[in-house]
Amino acid sequence: MAKMTLEDLRKLRESKQDALRKRDVEGKDCQVIVGMGTCGIAAGAKVVLDAFLSELEAKGIENVSVTQTGCMGLCHVEPTVEVIVPGMPDVIYGNVDAKVVKQIVADHIIGKKLVSEHVFDKPAADILKKD
């Protein structure tokens, strides 16, 4: 293995700090939380998490944090993702893959519309906040 130079180490530190900033929740009003229990990981949750980070970066969206949690209790529809956007109900999407990630970013986060065919949990209509 070749030795790393001081410049290589600086570049590595900057790239890792950029990756950490994308997952930081401070100052961001939207959240994407990926279920990373063993059931989620086995079903492809790591690919989904990476797809969210790539899609948000490609679209230049910086007000969304991407974090992970354990099992959300919906193992039969893994990978699962909770999306929290101000003014919309908190929603858990299931059977998420890289294609669905693009839909969620375009429709839910940007367009403020639910991706109905993948919604597996949301608050009942009678407890939703009305403006």
Side-chain angles (χ1 to χ4, degrees), residues 52 55-56 61 101-110:
F52 268 108
E55 186 68 11
L56 293 169
I61 300 170
V101 166
K102 290 183 179 205
Q103 274 185 287
I104 292 171
V105 171
D107 294 351
H108 190 127
I109 295 173
I110 296 172

Side-chain angles (χ1 to χ4, degrees), residues 17-78:
Q17 286 175 336
D18 282 345
L20 287 174
R21 271 193 287 275
K22 292 175 190 167
R23 300 180 72 172
D24 189 9
V25 295
E26 192 165 319
K28 298 177 180 173
D29 59 350
C30 300
Q31 289 184 3
V32 172
I33 305 165
V34 181
M36 298 282 284
T38 52
C39 51
I41 293 169
K46 178 68 174 122
V47 172
V48 168
L49 186 131
D50 291 342
F52 268 108
L53 293 171
S54 296
E55 186 68 11
L56 293 169
E57 184 173 331
K59 301 252 185 231
I61 300 170
E62 296 183 0
N63 67 325
V64 180
S65 66
V66 180
T67 58
Q68 64 188 60
T69 189
C71 178
M72 293 186 189
L74 297 168
C75 304
H76 64 290
V77 291
E78 290 289 350

